[in-house]
Amino acid sequence: MLRRYLVAALALASSLLALPALAAEQTKPTPTAKEILAKSTPAEWRTPDPQNLLFMQLPGGRVVIELAPDFTPLHAANIRTLVRQHYFDGLAIIRVQDNFVTQWGDPNDDDNGDKSKVRPLGQASKTLAPEFTRAIDPKLPWTPLPDGDVYAPEVGFSEGFPVGRDPASGQEWVAHCYGTVGVARDVAPETGNGSSLYAVIGQARRLDHNLAVAGRVLEGMPLLSGLPRGPEPMGFYTQPQQRITIESVRLAADLPAKDRPAIQVLRTDSASFAALVEAKRNGRNAFYPKPVGKVDLCGIDVPVRGTRPAS
């Protein structure tokens, strides 16, 4: 009996001695995103295909957009056709709705525009089959998030894009998180052809699987989110001088190699990305002593590096 008490006492003493170390570990600050990325390996970064990189030059700087052809291939192809015809050059940002979207396209194609001056689409298609969702493809990379979602049974990341999934229907789609680029359309589903696009600058998940998402902004979001809001109920500008002119839109593949920035995106199936997600969910430091323990799909920014100002 005495021996049993001695063993128990030693075990208790050992656990008490370990408590300070455990407490210190639990209160140790979580590594910052900068610290996590500093330890990332080259293999954890991917270089976007230059056929999928758009450079939109605005008076205030450059916006870089990566297309999502694995999710919306018809729209990606049509947008490339429009860009190569210089369709967007000289058009404008026509709408900025607070906490929603910034939209660009042909001002004459608005309800109050001069339809006789609408820019022709050239070789691009006027209508496209809706690509609001696609069949779940097990061959595409998939990094699930553990905390659930209001808008989808499952959420995660694929190729850097925030994605919702419904296993029951076998469908998946790019979610309308901050920075995603969608295809504007009229009421008819097939009218979204890529000639008018929008970037999400607020809460827009209600658009999920109702509009096609063509890509996401890799660089230059402040140039889109920081613009004056339009006075109309949907944020449309009422005066031509309020609009921001698009100087040009080009595909990286059509530029000389020396003029292409060495943009890289962190792989969302990498260990460093998993560490970033965990830091978001359970991170703590002196300012945030209590971890939230959860993270939502649109609360995670996929890191991008190697961008530079346009010359």
Side-chain angles (χ1 to χ4, degrees), residues 5 10 68 124 130 132-133 136 143 146 165 180 200 226 265 269 283 299:
Y5 286 137
L10 287 172
F132 305 158
T133 68
I136 295 174
T143 303
R165 279 186 169 185
T180 51
V200 175
V265 181
D269 56 355

Side-chain angles (χ1 to χ4, degrees), residues 57 62 258-260 308-311:
Q57 189 65 41
R62 182 183 65 189
K258 64 180 179 63
D259 294 335
R260 302 176 194 169
R308 60 167 173 78
S311 57

Side-chain angles (χ1 to χ4, degrees), residues 223-236:
L223 298 171
L224 301 174
S225 62
L227 295 173
R229 277 39 178 166
E232 289 291 307
M234 294 180 64
F236 282 94

Side-chain angles (χ1 to χ4, degrees), residues 2-311:
L2 179 60
R3 182 180 179 183
R4 185 186 304 169
Y5 286 137
L6 287 173
V7 170
L10 287 172
L12 177 60
S14 178
S15 63
L16 290 174
L17 288 172
L19 283 177
L22 179 62
E25 183 63 29
Q26 289 179 339
T27 57
K28 182 180 179 181
T30 304
T32 65
K34 183 177 181 180
E35 291 169 339
I36 291 171
L37 295 178
K39 295 181 179 179
S40 65
T41 66
E44 292 183 298
W45 296 84
R46 65 178 179 87
T47 300
D49 186 337
Q51 291 284 353
N52 295 329
L53 276 185
L54 302 180
F55 299 152
M56 180 166 69
Q57 189 65 41
L58 301 176
R62 182 183 65 189
V63 177
V64 180
I65 297 168
E66 182 180 17
L67 298 176
D70 283 329
F71 290 89
T72 47
L74 298 177
H75 289 82
N78 217 45
I79 290 168
R80 290 192 200 100
T81 298
L82 290 167
V83 169
R84 285 183 163 132
Q85 294 173 167
H86 296 184
Y87 171 83
F88 293 100
D89 297 7
L91 296 186
I93 293 175
I94 58 176
R95 172 191 178 202
V96 183
Q97 185 173 353
D98 190 46
N99 198 31
F100 197 44
V101 301
T102 294
Q103 183 176 338
W104 58 95
D106 188 345
N108 288 311
D109 204 25
D110 288 348
D111 291 342
N112 298 321
D114 186 346
K115 300 300 183 182
S116 67
K117 297 180 180 178
V118 170
R119 184 169 295 187
L121 299 182
Q123 298 300 311
S125 298
K126 184 176 181 180
T127 60
L128 293 174
E131 293 181 305
F132 305 158
T133 68
R134 57 154 295 153
I136 295 174
D137 185 351
K139 291 181 291 187
L140 287 179
W142 173 246
T143 303
L145 292 183
D147 298 315
D149 186 71
V150 174
Y151 296 92
E154 296 178 357
V155 291
F157 286 85
S158 182
E159 301 181 315
F161 296 96
V163 174
R165 279 186 169 185
D166 183 2
S169 66
Q171 296 294 299
E172 61 184 352
W173 57 91
V174 179
H176 280 78
C177 292
Y178 182 84
T180 51
V181 175
V183 179
R185 64 174 175 87
D186 291 329
V187 175
E190 70 277 3
T191 53
N193 55 38
S195 62
S196 185
L197 301 169
Y198 59 86
V200 175
I201 62 170
Q203 301 291 334
R205 290 291 303 281
R206 65 183 183 274
L207 300 179
D208 283 8
H209 47 75
N210 284 290
L211 288 97
V213 174
R216 77 177 186 105
V217 175
L218 300 184
E219 176 192 293
M221 271 304 294
L223 298 171
L224 301 174
S225 62
L227 295 173
R229 277 39 178 166
E232 289 291 307
M234 294 180 64
F236 282 94
Y237 292 132
T238 54
Q239 302 298 323
Q241 61 267 27
Q242 294 174 304
R243 303 179 186 128
I244 293 83
T245 300
I246 298 171
E247 295 179 359
S248 65
V249 179
R250 297 290 182 269
L251 265 173
D254 296 341
L255 299 177
K258 64 180 179 63
D259 294 335
R260 302 176 194 169
I263 292 176
Q264 291 189 309
V265 181
L266 186 69
R267 296 178 61 91
T268 48
D269 56 355
S270 66
S272 290
F273 184 74
L276 289 173
V277 172
E278 179 59 21
K280 281 272 190 176
R281 295 180 72 239
N282 292 308
R284 70 174 77 216
N285 55 36
F287 192 81
Y288 294 104
K290 184 171 177 57
V292 176
K294 293 181 180 296
V295 68
D296 65 282
L297 179 65
C298 293
I300 299 173
D301 299 319
V302 179
V304 179
R305 71 180 186 183
T307 59
R308 60 167 173 78
S311 57

